[in-house]
Amino acid sequence: MIAGQSPRLIWKVNPQGHKRTIEEALEIARGFGVHVPPDVFFFEDEDNELPDDGTARGPKVTKPAGSAVYWSDLLNSRTGKVPFRIRSEILNSDEAIVGVIAHEMYELEKLRGMLKKGTMTIEHYIDQTRPNNPGNLHDEAWDCSDRMVEAMRKAQP
């Protein structure tokens, strides 16, 4: 894995592996300063659809080459919210919860800003959100994740 394309920190597992619900996870993330906007929802990857090295995933946007991506492409057609699938094991660690949700929200808010300024091509969208592309939003989001977990550790006794 390319440096910076994954968290630098190793997340501590909760005592006795205590697993959080999605609702508890969001409360924990917000409690440590992660902004989760009201137009976002998280759900657990109970069917193990994420790749083995994946922690979470936002909406999959697929379009023909050269097509424009719009904010509406990120929204679930039934809920009108941006869905995020989160790996079940992440819910066993409050540090992982903060790190992963911070990562996803960083990427999303940067994309929101870019899309408000206009559209982007599907190629640019993919380049900004894919792993193994140093310096993209995905890369920056892991730096944000590490900063949030470090602040969390400092805030705890």
Side-chain angles (χ1 to χ4, degrees):
M1 179 133 314
I2 295 173
Q5 288 288 314
S6 61
R8 195 175 23 78
L9 303 175
I10 296 172
W11 300 316
K12 298 174 194 162
V13 176
N14 293 338
Q16 290 83 43
H18 181 74
K19 185 175 180 181
R20 306 293 188 177
T21 65
I22 291 292
E23 293 75 22
E24 290 171 324
L26 291 170
E27 186 176 319
I28 290 164
R30 287 181 176 119
F32 284 101
V34 179
H35 173 68
V36 181
D39 62 351
V40 169
F41 75 93
F42 280 82
F43 62 98
E44 187 175 349
D45 183 27
E46 294 173 334
D47 297 328
N48 297 315
E49 293 182 19
L50 289 170
D52 290 342
D53 62 348
T55 56
R57 182 180 69 212
K60 202 169 203 173
V61 179
T62 54
K63 292 187 159 209
S67 295
V69 175
Y70 302 92
W71 181 253
S72 60
D73 293 325
L74 304 180
L75 303 176
N76 178 285
S77 60
R78 286 181 290 145
T79 65
K81 295 185 176 194
V82 182
F84 285 90
R85 178 183 308 270
I86 191 166
R87 178 174 298 292
S88 295
E89 290 81 14
I90 296 301
L91 300 172
N92 295 326
S93 165
D94 291 357
E95 289 187 353
I97 287 166
V98 169
V100 169
I101 293 176
H103 170 93
E104 296 301 339
M105 294 303 93
Y106 179 92
E107 263 185 303
L108 181 66
E109 291 309 305
K110 292 294 185 177
L111 287 169
R112 186 188 307 263
M114 294 168 131
L115 291 168
K116 278 186 177 178
K117 291 178 184 172
T119 59
M120 64 173 52
T121 64
I122 187 64
E123 291 84 2
H124 187 203
Y125 177 85
I126 291 168
D127 281 346
Q128 287 299 319
T129 58
R130 73 179 172 90
N132 300 325
N133 188 13
N136 69 354
L137 292 180
H138 179 75
D139 191 21
E140 292 174 10
W142 282 124
D143 292 338
C144 173
S145 167
D146 286 338
R147 286 190 305 272
M148 296 299 290
V149 173
E150 285 170 340
M152 176 185 184
R153 288 177 178 175
K154 286 179 185 173
Q156 293 176 329

Coordinates of all heavy atoms in Angstrom, one line a residue, residues 77-134:
S77 N -31.9 7.1 -4.1 CA -33.1 7.6 -4.7 C -34.3 7.5 -3.7 O -35.3 8.2 -3.9 CB -33.4 6.8 -6.0 OG -33.5 5.4 -5.7
R78 N -34.3 6.6 -2.8 CA -35.4 6.5 -1.8 C -35.3 7.4 -0.6 O -36.3 7.9 -0.2 CB -35.5 5.0 -1.3 CG -36.0 4.0 -2.4 CD -36.2 2.7 -1.8 NE -34.8 2.1 -1.6 CZ -34.4 1.3 -0.7 NH1 -35.3 0.9 0.2 NH2 -33.2 0.9 -0.6
T79 N -34.1 7.6 -0.1 CA -33.9 8.4 1.1 C -33.5 9.9 0.8 O -33.7 10.7 1.7 CB -32.9 7.8 2.0 OG1 -31.6 7.9 1.4 CG2 -33.3 6.4 2.4
G80 N -32.9 10.1 -0.4 CA -32.4 11.4 -0.7 C -31.1 11.8 0.1 O -30.7 12.9 0.2
K81 N -30.5 10.7 0.7 CA -29.3 10.9 1.5 C -28.1 10.2 0.9 O -28.3 9.3 0.1 CB -29.5 10.4 2.9 CG -30.6 11.2 3.7 CD -30.7 10.7 5.1 CE -31.6 11.6 5.9 NZ -31.5 11.4 7.3
V82 N -26.9 10.6 1.3 CA -25.7 9.9 0.8 C -25.4 8.7 1.7 O -25.2 8.9 2.9 CB -24.5 10.9 0.8 CG1 -23.3 10.2 0.3 CG2 -24.8 12.2 0.1
P83 N -25.5 7.5 1.1 CA -25.3 6.3 1.9 C -23.8 5.9 2.0 O -23.0 6.1 1.1 CB -26.0 5.2 1.1 CG -25.9 5.7 -0.3 CD -25.9 7.2 -0.3
F84 N -23.4 5.4 3.2 CA -22.1 4.9 3.5 C -22.2 3.5 4.1 O -22.9 3.4 5.2 CB -21.3 5.8 4.4 CG -20.8 7.1 3.7 CD1 -21.6 8.2 3.7 CD2 -19.6 7.1 3.0 CE1 -21.2 9.3 3.0 CE2 -19.1 8.2 2.4 CZ -19.9 9.3 2.3
R85 N -21.6 2.6 3.5 CA -21.5 1.2 4.0 C -20.3 1.1 4.9 O -19.2 1.5 4.4 CB -21.5 0.2 2.9 CG -21.3 -1.2 3.3 CD -21.2 -2.1 2.0 NE -22.2 -1.9 1.0 CZ -23.4 -2.5 1.0 NH1 -23.6 -3.5 1.8 NH2 -24.2 -2.3 0.0
I86 N -20.4 0.6 6.1 CA -19.3 0.5 7.0 C -19.0 -0.9 7.4 O -20.0 -1.6 7.7 CB -19.5 1.5 8.3 CG1 -18.2 1.6 9.1 CG2 -20.6 1.0 9.1 CD1 -18.2 2.8 10.1
R87 N -17.8 -1.3 7.4 CA -17.4 -2.7 7.8 C -17.8 -3.0 9.2 O -17.6 -2.2 10.1 CB -15.9 -2.9 7.6 CG -15.4 -4.3 8.0 CD -14.0 -4.6 7.7 NE -13.6 -4.5 6.3 CZ -14.0 -5.4 5.4 NH1 -14.8 -6.4 5.7 NH2 -13.7 -5.3 4.1
S88 N -18.4 -4.1 9.4 CA -18.8 -4.5 10.8 C -17.7 -4.4 11.8 O -18.0 -4.0 12.9 CB -19.4 -5.9 10.7 OG -20.6 -6.0 9.9
E89 N -16.5 -4.9 11.5 CA -15.4 -4.9 12.5 C -15.1 -3.5 13.0 O -14.5 -3.3 14.1 CB -14.2 -5.6 11.9 CG -14.4 -7.1 11.7 CD -15.1 -7.4 10.4 OE1 -15.3 -6.6 9.5 OE2 -15.5 -8.6 10.3
I90 N -15.3 -2.5 12.2 CA -15.0 -1.1 12.6 C -15.8 -0.7 13.8 O -15.3 0.0 14.7 CB -15.3 -0.1 11.4 CG1 -14.4 -0.4 10.2 CG2 -15.2 1.3 11.9 CD1 -13.0 -0.3 10.5
L91 N -17.0 -1.3 14.0 CA -17.8 -1.0 15.1 C -17.3 -1.6 16.4 O -17.9 -1.3 17.5 CB -19.3 -1.5 14.8 CG -19.9 -0.8 13.6 CD1 -21.2 -1.5 13.3 CD2 -20.0 0.7 13.8
N92 N -16.2 -2.4 16.4 CA -15.6 -2.9 17.6 C -14.6 -2.0 18.2 O -13.9 -2.4 19.2 CB -15.0 -4.3 17.3 CG -16.0 -5.3 16.9 OD1 -17.1 -5.3 17.4 ND2 -15.6 -6.2 16.0
S93 N -14.3 -0.9 17.6 CA -13.3 0.0 18.0 C -13.8 1.5 17.9 O -14.0 2.0 16.8 CB -12.0 -0.1 17.1 OG -11.1 0.9 17.3
D94 N -13.8 2.2 19.0 CA -14.2 3.6 19.0 C -13.2 4.4 18.2 O -13.6 5.4 17.5 CB -14.4 4.1 20.4 CG -15.6 3.5 21.2 OD1 -16.3 2.7 20.6 OD2 -15.7 3.9 22.3
E95 N -12.0 4.1 18.3 CA -11.0 4.8 17.5 C -11.2 4.6 16.0 O -11.1 5.5 15.2 CB -9.5 4.4 17.9 CG -9.1 4.8 19.2 CD -7.7 4.6 19.5 OE1 -7.0 3.9 18.8 OE2 -7.2 5.1 20.6
A96 N -11.5 3.3 15.6 CA -11.8 3.0 14.2 C -13.0 3.8 13.7 O -13.1 4.3 12.6 CB -11.9 1.5 14.0
I97 N -14.0 3.8 14.6 CA -15.2 4.5 14.3 C -14.9 6.0 14.0 O -15.3 6.5 12.9 CB -16.3 4.4 15.4 CG1 -16.8 3.0 15.5 CG2 -17.4 5.5 15.3 CD1 -17.6 2.7 16.8
V98 N -14.2 6.7 14.9 CA -13.9 8.1 14.7 C -13.0 8.2 13.4 O -13.3 9.1 12.6 CB -13.2 8.7 15.9 CG1 -12.6 10.0 15.6 CG2 -14.2 8.8 17.1
G99 N -12.0 7.4 13.2 CA -11.1 7.5 12.1 C -11.8 7.3 10.8 O -11.7 8.0 9.8
V100 N -12.7 6.2 10.7 CA -13.3 5.9 9.4 C -14.4 6.9 9.1 O -14.5 7.4 7.9 CB -13.9 4.5 9.5 CG1 -14.8 4.2 8.3 CG2 -12.8 3.5 9.5
I101 N -15.2 7.3 10.1 CA -16.3 8.3 9.8 C -15.6 9.7 9.4 O -16.1 10.3 8.5 CB -17.3 8.4 10.9 CG1 -18.0 7.0 11.0 CG2 -18.3 9.5 10.7 CD1 -19.0 6.9 12.2
A102 N -14.6 10.0 10.1 CA -13.9 11.3 9.8 C -13.3 11.2 8.4 O -13.5 12.2 7.6 CB -12.7 11.5 10.8
H103 N -12.8 10.1 8.0 CA -12.2 9.9 6.6 C -13.4 10.1 5.6 O -13.2 10.9 4.7 CB -11.6 8.5 6.5 CG -11.3 8.2 5.1 ND1 -10.1 8.4 4.5 CD2 -12.1 7.6 4.1 CE1 -10.0 8.0 3.3 NE2 -11.2 7.5 3.0
E104 N -14.5 9.4 5.8 CA -15.6 9.5 4.8 C -16.2 10.9 4.7 O -16.5 11.4 3.7 CB -16.6 8.5 5.1 CG -16.1 7.0 5.0 CD -15.6 6.6 3.6 OE1 -15.9 7.3 2.6 OE2 -14.8 5.6 3.6
M105 N -16.3 11.5 5.9 CA -16.9 12.9 5.9 C -16.0 13.9 5.3 O -16.4 14.9 4.6 CB -17.3 13.3 7.3 CG -18.5 12.4 7.9 SD -20.0 12.4 6.9 CE -19.8 10.9 5.8
Y106 N -14.7 13.8 5.5 CA -13.7 14.7 4.9 C -13.9 14.6 3.3 O -14.0 15.6 2.7 CB -12.3 14.3 5.3 CG -11.3 15.2 4.6 CD1 -10.8 16.3 5.3 CD2 -10.7 14.9 3.4 CE1 -9.9 17.2 4.7 CE2 -9.8 15.8 2.8 CZ -9.4 16.9 3.5 OH -8.5 17.7 2.9
E107 N -13.8 13.4 2.8 CA -14.0 13.2 1.4 C -15.3 13.8 0.9 O -15.3 14.5 -0.1 CB -13.9 11.7 1.0 CG -12.6 11.2 0.6 CD -12.6 9.8 0.1 OE1 -13.0 8.9 0.9 OE2 -12.2 9.5 -1.0
L108 N -16.3 13.5 1.6 CA -17.7 13.9 1.1 C -17.8 15.4 1.1 O -18.3 16.0 0.1 CB -18.8 13.3 2.0 CG -20.2 13.7 1.6 CD1 -20.5 13.1 0.2 CD2 -21.2 13.3 2.6
E109 N -17.3 16.1 2.2 CA -17.4 17.5 2.2 C -16.6 18.2 1.2 O -17.0 19.2 0.6 CB -17.1 18.0 3.6 CG -18.2 17.7 4.6 CD -19.6 18.0 4.2 OE1 -19.9 19.2 3.8 OE2 -20.5 17.1 4.1
K110 N -15.4 17.6 0.9 CA -14.6 18.2 -0.2 C -15.3 18.0 -1.6 O -15.3 18.9 -2.4 CB -13.2 17.6 -0.2 CG -12.3 17.9 1.0 CD -12.0 19.4 0.9 CE -11.0 19.7 2.1 NZ -10.6 21.1 2.1
L111 N -15.9 16.8 -1.8 CA -16.6 16.6 -3.0 C -17.8 17.5 -3.1 O -18.1 18.1 -4.2 CB -17.1 15.1 -3.1 CG -16.0 14.1 -3.4 CD1 -16.5 12.7 -3.2 CD2 -15.5 14.3 -4.8
R112 N -18.5 17.7 -2.0 CA -19.7 18.6 -2.0 C -19.2 20.0 -2.5 O -19.9 20.6 -3.3 CB -20.2 18.7 -0.6 CG -21.5 19.5 -0.5 CD -22.0 19.8 1.0 NE -22.1 18.6 1.8 CZ -23.2 17.9 2.0 NH1 -24.4 18.3 1.5 NH2 -23.2 16.9 2.9
G113 N -18.1 20.5 -1.9 CA -17.6 21.8 -2.4 C -17.3 21.9 -3.8 O -17.6 22.9 -4.5
M114 N -16.6 20.8 -4.3 CA -16.3 20.8 -5.7 C -17.5 20.8 -6.6 O -17.6 21.4 -7.7 CB -15.4 19.6 -6.0 CG -14.1 19.6 -5.4 SD -13.3 18.0 -5.5 CE -11.7 18.4 -6.1
L115 N -18.5 20.0 -6.2 CA -19.7 19.8 -7.0 C -20.6 21.1 -7.0 O -21.3 21.3 -7.9 CB -20.5 18.6 -6.6 CG -19.8 17.3 -7.0 CD1 -20.4 16.1 -6.3 CD2 -19.7 17.1 -8.5
K116 N -20.5 21.8 -5.9 CA -21.3 23.1 -5.8 C -20.7 24.1 -6.8 O -21.5 25.0 -7.2 CB -21.3 23.6 -4.4 CG -22.3 23.0 -3.5 CD -22.3 23.7 -2.1 CE -23.4 23.0 -1.3 NZ -23.4 23.6 0.1
K117 N -19.4 24.0 -7.0 CA -18.8 25.0 -7.9 C -19.1 24.6 -9.4 O -18.9 25.4 -10.3 CB -17.3 25.0 -7.7 CG -16.9 25.6 -6.4 CD -15.4 25.5 -6.3 CE -15.0 26.0 -4.9 NZ -13.5 25.8 -4.6
G118 N -19.6 23.5 -9.6 CA -19.9 23.0 -11.0 C -19.8 21.5 -11.0 O -19.8 20.8 -10.0
T119 N -19.8 20.9 -12.2 CA -19.7 19.5 -12.3 C -18.3 19.1 -12.4 O -17.4 19.9 -12.6 CB -20.5 19.0 -13.5 OG1 -19.9 19.6 -14.7 CG2 -22.0 19.3 -13.4
M120 N -18.1 17.8 -12.3 CA -16.8 17.2 -12.6 C -17.0 16.0 -13.5 O -18.1 15.4 -13.4 CB -16.0 16.9 -11.3 CG -16.7 15.8 -10.5 SD -15.7 15.2 -9.0 CE -15.2 16.7 -8.2
T121 N -16.0 15.6 -14.2 CA -16.1 14.4 -15.0 C -16.0 13.2 -14.1 O -15.5 13.2 -13.0 CB -15.0 14.3 -16.1 OG1 -13.8 14.2 -15.4 CG2 -15.1 15.5 -17.0
I122 N -16.5 12.1 -14.6 CA -16.5 10.8 -13.9 C -15.0 10.5 -13.7 O -14.6 9.9 -12.6 CB -17.2 9.7 -14.6 CG1 -17.3 8.4 -13.7 CG2 -16.7 9.4 -16.0 CD1 -18.0 8.6 -12.4
E123 N -14.1 10.8 -14.6 CA -12.7 10.4 -14.5 C -12.1 11.2 -13.3 O -11.3 10.7 -12.5 CB -11.9 10.8 -15.7 CG -12.3 9.8 -16.9 CD -13.5 10.2 -17.7 OE1 -14.1 11.3 -17.4 OE2 -13.9 9.5 -18.6
H124 N -12.5 12.5 -13.2 CA -11.9 13.3 -12.1 C -12.5 12.8 -10.7 O -11.8 12.7 -9.7 CB -12.3 14.8 -12.3 CG -11.7 15.7 -11.3 ND1 -12.2 17.0 -11.0 CD2 -10.6 15.6 -10.5 CE1 -11.4 17.5 -10.1 NE2 -10.5 16.7 -9.8
Y125 N -13.8 12.5 -10.7 CA -14.4 11.9 -9.5 C -13.7 10.7 -9.0 O -13.3 10.5 -7.9 CB -15.9 11.6 -9.8 CG -16.6 11.0 -8.6 CD1 -17.1 11.8 -7.6 CD2 -16.7 9.6 -8.5 CE1 -17.8 11.2 -6.5 CE2 -17.3 9.0 -7.4 CZ -17.9 9.8 -6.4 OH -18.5 9.3 -5.3
I126 N -13.4 9.8 -10.0 CA -12.7 8.5 -9.6 C -11.3 8.8 -9.2 O -10.9 8.2 -8.2 CB -12.7 7.5 -10.9 CG1 -14.2 7.0 -11.1 CG2 -11.8 6.4 -10.6 CD1 -14.4 6.3 -12.4
D127 N -10.6 9.7 -9.9 CA -9.2 10.0 -9.5 C -9.2 10.6 -8.0 O -8.2 10.4 -7.3 CB -8.6 11.0 -10.4 CG -8.1 10.4 -11.7 OD1 -8.0 9.2 -11.8 OD2 -7.8 11.1 -12.7
Q128 N -10.2 11.4 -7.6 CA -10.2 12.0 -6.3 C -10.6 11.0 -5.2 O -10.2 11.2 -4.1 CB -11.2 13.2 -6.3 CG -10.7 14.4 -7.0 CD -9.4 14.9 -6.4 OE1 -9.2 14.9 -5.2 NE2 -8.4 15.3 -7.3
T129 N -11.3 9.9 -5.5 CA -11.8 9.0 -4.5 C -11.1 7.7 -4.4 O -11.4 6.9 -3.5 CB -13.3 8.9 -4.6 OG1 -13.6 8.3 -5.9 CG2 -14.0 10.2 -4.5
R130 N -10.3 7.4 -5.4 CA -9.7 6.0 -5.4 C -8.4 5.9 -4.6 O -7.7 6.8 -4.5 CB -9.5 5.6 -6.8 CG -8.3 6.2 -7.5 CD -8.1 5.7 -8.9 NE -7.2 6.4 -9.7 CZ -5.9 6.2 -9.7 NH1 -5.4 5.1 -9.0 NH2 -5.0 6.9 -10.4
P131 N -8.2 4.7 -4.0 CA -6.9 4.4 -3.3 C -5.8 4.4 -4.3 O -6.0 4.4 -5.6 CB -7.1 3.0 -2.8 CG -8.6 2.8 -2.8 CD -9.1 3.6 -3.9
N132 N -4.6 4.5 -3.8 CA -3.4 4.4 -4.6 C -3.2 5.5 -5.6 O -2.7 5.3 -6.7 CB -3.2 3.0 -5.3 CG -3.2 1.9 -4.3 OD1 -2.7 2.1 -3.2 ND2 -3.8 0.8 -4.6
N133 N -3.7 6.7 -5.2 CA -3.5 7.9 -6.1 C -3.0 9.0 -5.1 O -3.8 9.8 -4.6 CB -4.8 8.3 -6.8 CG -4.6 9.4 -7.8 OD1 -3.5 9.8 -8.1 ND2 -5.7 10.0 -8.2
P134 N -1.8 9.1 -4.8 CA -1.2 10.0 -3.8 C -1.6 11.5 -4.1 O -1.6 11.9 -5.2 CB 0.3 9.8 -3.9 CG 0.5 8.5 -4.5 CD -0.7 8.2 -5.4

